[in-house]
Amino acid sequence: MNLEKYLKKYDIRISLVNPRQKIIEIKNINLDIIINKRFYDLKLLLKKHNIDIHQFYIEELGSISNDLKILEIESYIDQAKIKNTIEGQLTSAFNLLKDSNYYEIDWYLRIIKKILLKIDEKNIPKLSEFLNTLKNTKKDLYIKTINLIKKLKENNKVLNMINCNF
């Protein structure tokens, strides 16, 4: 597989070590020899072609880990898109609480605040489901989350659709 086609197919961008290096030639680089390896190995291959790579990234998802296998990029993109949905973010916030200590609770409250500010009408059923699960498993955090919703109602009017009774 041609490197240029691969990068275009998955919308992968390259961040160069030397940003002044404007023109890089990747049309003739064949990925077949390292397709089963990691992005770090791709960096090494490009270095042999005098292209110094700082990182690979996908604009809406961020940096690609050097340890990710080149063949696994499609799965990585799919998983990242799921995590970027409100449902995925709520799941991540809840998973943070499984072995909760002070730090996780603090992080949970920061994360849930960001999520609540982004909630729109189509996400209300998922938020309600999340709150019911929280109410049945972590009553103290359910109360803190409801109090946070009450505080954020001015910033996100959609939160008025949530029943904030204990």
Side-chain angles (χ1 to χ4, degrees), residues 8-25:
K8 282 183 181 178
K9 179 178 179 181
Y10 297 109
D11 198 24
I12 298 173
R13 312 285 171 93
I14 296 174
S15 172
L16 299 170
V17 170
N18 180 4
R20 292 183 199 149
Q21 183 182 4
K22 298 285 184 195
I23 300 171
I24 57 172
E25 187 59 46

Side-chain angles (χ1 to χ4, degrees), residues 11 28 45 90 95 124 129 139 143:
D11 198 24
N28 298 326
L45 176 66
L90 288 170
N95 287 338
I124 292 295
E129 183 181 319
K139 184 76 171 178
I143 293 168

Side-chain angles (χ1 to χ4, degrees), residues 2-163:
N2 176 292
L3 177 59
E4 184 178 46
K5 288 179 184 175
Y6 175 83
L7 296 177
K8 282 183 181 178
K9 179 178 179 181
Y10 297 109
D11 198 24
I12 298 173
R13 312 285 171 93
I14 296 174
S15 172
L16 299 170
V17 170
N18 180 4
R20 292 183 199 149
Q21 183 182 4
K22 298 285 184 195
I23 300 171
I24 57 172
E25 187 59 46
I26 59 173
K27 289 180 184 176
N28 298 326
I29 298 175
N30 187 351
L31 273 181
D32 292 338
I33 58 174
I34 63 163
I35 196 72
N36 292 318
K37 298 201 177 188
R38 305 166 300 148
F39 273 87
Y40 180 75
D41 299 303
L42 179 55
K43 278 185 178 181
L44 294 176
L45 176 66
L46 290 170
K47 192 164 185 82
K48 288 180 184 177
H49 292 289
N50 296 319
I51 303 170
D52 241 351
I53 302 295
H54 174 63
Q55 67 185 7
F56 296 96
Y57 66 97
I58 299 172
E59 200 162 307
E60 65 270 3
L61 302 178
S63 298
I64 298 172
S65 169
N66 285 332
D67 291 331
L68 181 68
K69 289 190 176 184
I70 296 167
L71 276 176
E72 295 174 353
I73 192 66
E74 196 165 348
S75 172
Y76 169 80
I77 291 169
D78 291 343
Q79 289 174 0
K81 286 180 180 176
I82 290 169
K83 286 182 180 179
N84 282 341
T85 64
I86 293 295
E87 183 177 0
Q89 291 174 18
L90 288 170
T91 301
S92 295
F94 189 76
N95 287 338
L96 193 60
L97 298 174
K98 288 191 176 174
D99 299 318
S100 60
N101 63 40
Y102 173 76
Y103 298 109
E104 278 85 11
I105 292 170
D106 186 47
W107 274 111
Y108 162 78
L109 291 171
R110 290 179 193 186
I111 291 168
I112 201 69
K113 181 178 179 181
K114 290 179 183 178
I115 295 169
L116 291 171
L117 290 171
K118 293 189 289 185
I119 291 283
D120 59 18
E121 286 185 37
K122 69 179 182 184
N123 302 124
I124 292 295
K126 291 294 176 190
L127 179 59
S128 297
E129 183 181 319
F130 171 80
L131 290 170
N132 282 333
T133 303
L134 197 59
K135 184 177 184 178
N136 294 328
T137 56
K138 303 269 188 186
K139 184 76 171 178
D140 58 327
L141 289 173
Y142 168 77
I143 293 168
K144 287 182 181 185
T145 305
I146 292 297
N147 287 334
L148 187 58
I149 289 172
K150 288 177 182 177
K151 289 178 187 175
L152 295 174
K153 282 185 176 184
E154 265 185 41
N155 298 320
N156 187 348
K157 300 294 183 197
V158 174
L159 294 175
N160 288 318
M161 299 171 72
I162 299 293
N163 182 5

